[in-house]
């Protein structure tokens, strides 16, 4: 029961899709467009369990579908409830997204910390969720009191009011990043090439230096070692591929040819 | 010159505002609404340097103003350029936001890694920027070739196409989080109260246990120590404030009174 939405579910076209992550509960959302953009943001981040409490314009909603950019996996599985307490009844951990409350005693966490706790919780297979309030007004204090903690996204204190879909995206984005294994930084290259070896790079250095000796650019003997190191550092920094080294050598050959021609 | 936008600037109403962070460069954006939502997302994250390359519907744009939710600090300082190379001419570090390129040799970084590099760069006071492509089409390869690296936001690979404002927000959000000092988790409480002391909590424990001894709930002597520890752990976990401890003791007194009345 609890946690069943974290398992795999077969969709209409037979594709098995991982339906994971916390439920996103929108309380009394007004504009269908905002619901649709929130659904799109959810699917961008691998979240699929969307719940609506008394959406003003009813459900299903054409504006929501139009704004969702084909996030039909979310839109088609959206559930509608009459009260917040019905919408969260099966959840075991609940965050309420709102500004830091001034008149309540409540634990307040950042979006990043909330997703750490949501992931820790998910590994014990409990079902969790995040509440979002209506546009402009936000959540009622009675809704916040149902939650285990307040999730407050740290933002520019002079301009912190987030669009509904952006608030959903902030939570979804952190949720996705937490378990994403993309390298922080790497060189991407077409399949047909590979990083150049040091030997290939050294041949390039020597090719360039020979050409520059020949052209007279390195004629001051005192400065030659410094200049050579400078070229080598400059070219080394570019992390050239094997293909690029060949291209570069082609460039040198071409320029040498041109210069020689001009001389004639 | 470079870095001048990172300093403080006095706005019309005399408020000194920190205008920091990388320039956000939108290349040929089509819908004013998207530009406005991007401007709002920027100011949410403390970014103020918006640059537009050939916005389809011209500039200024009423739809952009309407969608910006009064992010006038961004909207009013937006600069318009005819080419991408003009828009980035003064920048020393440039990321291009796009999917991982298949046909180019390029360093690819996550949004989180890019903002680490942008912050490191900002401390040396160089001016940096991030390029975003037109809706649907994205950036042209010639624009990407102007950038030092590709910034690719890790997202659900089956549904990774981000709305323009969400893409701007992903970068802005990471930029803001990097230097934000909000505690990951803390108990927020009204100013007039404070966390309860252990002494206050122990008085509460003893008050409850005395009432339960009296009511007969703890009559099985063997089980008493386990049950007492269970209450103490349960109440201890709630991190009660001084005010809440008094409220709780009032509840006990009230219930004891009620029970005694019922007995009569």
């Amino acid at each position: 029961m609890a946690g069943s939405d974290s398992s795999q579910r077969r969709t209409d076209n037979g594709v098995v899709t991982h339906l994971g992550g916390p439920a996103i509960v929108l309380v009394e959302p007004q504009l269908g467009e905002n619901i649709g953009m929130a659904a799109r943001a959810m699917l961008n981040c691998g979240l699929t369990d969307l719940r609506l409490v008394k959406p003003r314009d009813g459900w299903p909603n054409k504006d929501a579908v139009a704004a969702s950019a084909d996030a039909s996996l979310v839109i088609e599985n959206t559930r509608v409830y009459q009260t917040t307490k019905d919408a969260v009844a099966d959840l075991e951990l609940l965050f309420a997204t709102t500004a830091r409350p001034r008149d309540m005693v409540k634990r307040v966490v950042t979006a990043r910390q909330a997703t750490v706790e949501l992931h820790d919780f998910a590994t014990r297979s409990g079902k969790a969720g995040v509440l979002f309030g209506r546009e402009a007004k936000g959540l009622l204090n009675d809704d916040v009191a149902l939650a285990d903690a307040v999730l407050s996204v740290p933002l520019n204190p002079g301009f912190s009011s987030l669009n509904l879909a952006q608030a959903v995206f902030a939570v979804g984005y952190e949720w996705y990043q937490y378990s994403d294994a993309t390298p922080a930084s790497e060189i991407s290259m077409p399949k047909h090439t590979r990083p150049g070896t040091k030997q290939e790079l050294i041949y390039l250095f020597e090719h360039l230096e020979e050409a520059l000796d020949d052209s007279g650019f390195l004629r001051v003997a005192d400065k030659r070692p410094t200049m050579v190191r400078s070229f080598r550092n400059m070219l080394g920094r570019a992390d050239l591929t094997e293909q690029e080294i060949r291209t570069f050598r082609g460039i040198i050959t071409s320029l040498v040819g041109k210069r020689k021609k001009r001389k004639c």
Side-chain angles (χ1 to χ4, degrees), chain A:
Chain A
M1 195 200 70
S4 63
D5 283 338
S6 299
S7 63
Q8 294 197 319
R9 186 183 289 178
R10 197 168 288 274
T11 60
D12 291 343
N13 58 6
V15 177
V16 172
T17 315
H18 184 76
L19 291 183
I24 299 297
V25 187
L26 308 184
V27 179
E28 297 185 20
Q30 301 188 295
L31 294 172
E33 190 187 1
N34 286 335
I35 303 172
M37 288 196 297
R40 177 181 181 177
M42 285 175 62
L43 197 53
N44 282 147
C45 304
L47 300 177
T48 53
D49 183 357
L50 176 58
R51 304 173 182 201
L52 307 176
V53 178
K54 281 207 288 193
R56 188 189 65 185
D57 299 337
W59 192 261
N61 180 310
K62 280 183 186 172
D63 292 343
V65 174
S68 75
D70 292 324
S72 49
L73 184 64
V74 178
I75 293 288
E76 287 167 12
N77 290 299
T78 300
R79 283 171 282 183
V80 177
Y81 300 84
Q82 282 311 300
T83 64
T84 304
K85 66 183 181 186
D86 289 342
V88 305
D90 63 318
L91 306 180
E92 295 167 17
L93 174 66
L94 183 65
F95 291 97
T97 308
T98 183
R100 178 172 297 267
R102 289 174 195 282
D103 50 355
M104 281 193 273
V105 182
K106 200 84 184 171
R107 194 164 70 92
V108 179
V109 299
T110 60
R112 191 159 294 174
Q113 173 64 23
T115 53
V116 170
E117 297 182 17
L118 287 165
H119 272 281
D120 288 350
F121 198 75
T123 60
R124 305 196 300 270
S125 86
K127 182 72 189 163
V130 185
L131 279 180
F132 296 81
R134 65 221 80 195
E135 296 95 333
K137 276 185 174 177
L139 287 170
L140 297 175
N141 282 349
D142 285 339
D143 290 335
V144 175
L146 287 175
D148 296 281
V150 160
L151 186 167
S152 184
V153 182
L155 289 170
N156 176 1
F159 193 83
S160 62
S161 168
L162 274 182
N163 166 285
L164 180 57
Q166 301 282 38
V168 170
F169 183 66
V171 173
Y173 173 81
E174 285 285 5
W175 169 265
Y176 194 85
Q177 303 312 303
Y178 181 89
S179 54
D180 179 66
T182 306
S185 172
E186 64 174 338
I187 304 281
S188 158
M189 61 185 69
K191 279 183 185 165
H192 58 78
T193 190
R194 56 164 176 78
T197 63
K198 290 298 168 204
Q199 182 60 70
E200 287 159 349
L201 199 60
I202 290 164
Y203 284 150
L204 166 62
F205 293 158
E206 291 171 351
H207 186 168
L208 178 63
E209 288 146 23
E210 199 181 299
L212 292 176
D213 276 329
D214 202 38
S215 76
F217 193 87
L218 295 173
R219 66 182 170 276
V220 183
D222 274 4
K223 289 192 178 169
R224 192 180 185 285
T226 311
M227 294 188 83
V228 162
R229 280 194 295 273
S230 159
F231 303 150
R232 290 185 171 202
N233 280 327
M234 202 161 68
L235 289 173
R237 216 156 57 220
D239 291 326
L240 300 172
T241 64
E242 173 269 338
Q243 168 73 59
E244 288 170 333
I245 290 172
R246 277 194 282 130
T247 302
F248 212 102
R249 296 190 65 176
I251 289 172
I252 297 168
T253 303
S254 168
L255 292 177
V256 166
K258 206 174 176 185
R259 192 179 51 78
K260 282 189 176 164
K261 254 186 222 159
R262 276 187 186 163
K263 265 189 171 178
C264 300

